[in-house]
Amino acid sequence: MAESIQFDPQSSGAGDNTELADEQSAAGPQSPASAHPSLEKSQAFDQAVGGYRTPRFSPEEKLIACRSSTKSLSLSGSVFEQIQENDREYANQSYFMPCDEKEQTRLAVIHQCFTSMLSGQLSFQNIPRSAKRILDVGTGIGDWAIAVAERFPNAEVVATDITCFQPTDVPPNLFFEIDDAQEEWTYTEPFDFIHLRGLNGAFSNWAAVYKEAHKHLRANGILELADFGVITTTQPIADSYLSIYNGACVSAAEKAGTTLGLDHMKQTLLESAGFSIARTRTLDIPLGTWSSDPRKKLAGKMALISALEGLEATSLRLLTQHMDWKTEDVRDLCDKVQEELMRPGVQPTIPCQFMVARKLMI
């Protein structure tokens, strides 16, 4: 059953199921305060990223940072030849989100946003201290996997993605792999904790992904999902550019064979894969600093930065490839949505859902 929570520190990691819960370090999130002097549309993103790492890696460094799994792509140079399209870089011909430096910086901001929402914790459900193997699917720049590997030095942490742009200076117990989670997983040892975050629209067959996750968890192992829905406003705007944007992206995603929103987190999907749902909650994140709650202001500031930059990242390939939009028309719409979201009194929000499921003991 879904609950709406208001940034309650007690609900950000404390286990409702005591056998699932354990202590984690309460180290707080990095403060971005000095990195966000202004949230004006034209400057919001550029000014915000000052406090975050912007990864810059050569193909040689990428090769060092990644290892191949038993069935993943060969780590030849061709793996890292990004596709240039509309002045953005993509990992392959199909996935609609870019993987360029601009997107890597946005992902760093998102990681800090999640850390803020979870009161410094790395997960909604505490990772058991006894965990020996942890898997991060769709790791992106690897911030979560790096933090987990540092916090759990005795666990082997495996982090996968369809491309490799993670740093090379990582804990010795962390291994990055090139892998497509929609294909069969071939791990020979089960995991205690599997983590998927921010993969909205990434897979056309979530049921298959969940079945593989269930197959590769230990009995009583934990699967945690976290994702954002679509942006809305507390004050309705007639004929808004936001509604045009949301409608166009949803239609394009359907043509691409996937969905946007939170449909992939339906309980029935996970239950069909054999999981038992342990916890599910929804946070309503204010985009910007309009909330009177100081904690919401911090998370909301970072969420707004990510949302503004994410408009183009999400829509550009979807709308040009599947809706025959011109590049300049997509960017024009994104500019108008940004202006709309920054208007005083609009009060935009975005839902963030967490779901914890476990593999029952047989």
Side-chain angles (χ1 to χ4, degrees), residues 298-328:
L298 176 60
K301 188 181 294 185
M302 290 183 286
L304 176 62
I305 294 162
S306 172
L308 293 179
E309 185 64 18
L311 291 171
E312 179 185 297
T314 301
S315 64
L316 188 56
R317 182 177 249 195
L318 280 177
L319 297 184
T320 55
Q321 278 197 356
H322 302 285
M323 302 293 284
D324 296 325
W325 284 41
K326 294 180 180 179
T327 301
E328 57 268 28

Side-chain angles (χ1 to χ4, degrees), residues 196-230:
L196 290 86
R197 186 179 77 182
L199 297 180
N200 181 349
F203 305 128
S204 59
N205 189 352
W206 277 94
V209 174
Y210 293 148
K211 286 181 180 178
E212 290 298 316
H214 186 270
K215 177 181 176 182
H216 290 274
L217 271 175
R218 295 186 189 277
N220 213 34
I222 303 166
L223 172 69
E224 176 165 312
L225 310 172
D227 224 326
F228 290 107
V230 298

Side-chain angles (χ1 to χ4, degrees), residues 19-284:
E19 70 262 32
L20 294 182
D22 208 330
E23 285 189 6
Q24 293 184 41
S25 167
Q30 300 175 13
S31 173
S34 62
H36 304 287
S38 171
L39 285 177
E40 293 182 8
K41 168 192 166 291
S42 62
Q43 300 177 342
F45 189 75
D46 290 339
Q47 291 184 339
V49 299
Y52 301 104
R53 171 175 59 82
T54 303
R56 299 170 185 265
F57 310 116
S58 68
E60 291 75 18
E61 288 176 314
K62 292 173 181 175
L63 287 173
I64 295 171
C66 291
R67 70 173 187 183
S68 64
S69 65
T70 55
K71 69 148 181 82
S72 61
L73 296 173
S74 168
L75 292 181
S76 63
S78 62
V79 172
F80 306 110
E81 292 177 2
Q82 312 295 355
I83 296 171
Q84 301 285 334
E85 190 177 297
N86 297 321
D87 298 321
R88 301 300 300 260
E89 293 181 2
Y90 296 87
N92 57 30
Q93 295 287 353
S94 57
Y95 186 42
F96 63 90
M97 292 298 290
C99 60
D100 49 23
E101 196 171 286
K102 200 173 181 182
E103 176 64 5
Q104 291 173 42
T105 304
R106 189 184 74 87
L107 292 175
V109 176
I110 288 179
H111 176 69
Q112 295 301 326
C113 182
F114 271 105
T115 306
S116 175
M117 286 189 286
L118 295 174
S119 301
Q121 300 292 347
L122 295 173
S123 55
F124 178 63
Q125 177 65 54
N126 284 350
I127 301 172
R129 191 182 294 273
S130 60
K132 298 300 182 185
R133 279 172 58 80
I134 298 168
L135 175 63
D136 185 28
V137 177
T139 191
I141 60 174
D143 277 355
W144 187 89
I146 292 168
V148 167
E150 291 173 343
R151 198 167 292 187
F152 294 86
N154 295 323
E156 180 183 32
V157 180
V158 179
T160 68
D161 211 308
I162 58 174
T163 191
C164 190
F165 44 70
Q166 298 82 22
T168 59
D169 184 16
V170 300
N173 58 322
L174 171 59
F175 304 95
F176 290 114
E177 297 183 357
I178 300 292
D179 212 352
D180 186 345
Q182 292 190 104
E183 299 177 2
E184 181 183 5
W185 300 7
T186 57
Y187 302 107
T188 57
E189 295 181 57
F191 294 94
D192 301 284
F193 191 96
I194 297 178
H195 178 258
L196 290 86
R197 186 179 77 182
L199 297 180
N200 181 349
F203 305 128
S204 59
N205 189 352
W206 277 94
V209 174
Y210 293 148
K211 286 181 180 178
E212 290 298 316
H214 186 270
K215 177 181 176 182
H216 290 274
L217 271 175
R218 295 186 189 277
N220 213 34
I222 303 166
L223 172 69
E224 176 165 312
L225 310 172
D227 224 326
F228 290 107
V230 298
I231 300 171
T232 59
T233 59
T234 58
Q235 304 298 323
I237 305 173
D239 301 320
S240 69
Y241 290 112
L242 177 62
S243 64
I244 295 172
Y245 174 90
N246 285 340
C249 287
V250 167
S251 297
E254 289 176 354
K255 287 189 175 183
T258 186
T259 59
L260 297 180
L262 296 170
D263 283 351
H264 64 289
M265 296 180 70
K266 289 181 177 177
Q267 294 189 24
T268 53
L269 270 176
L270 286 104
E271 289 168 345
S272 296
F275 284 102
S276 173
I277 307 301
R279 307 173 66 191
T280 176
R281 291 187 180 175
T282 301
L283 293 165
D284 291 316

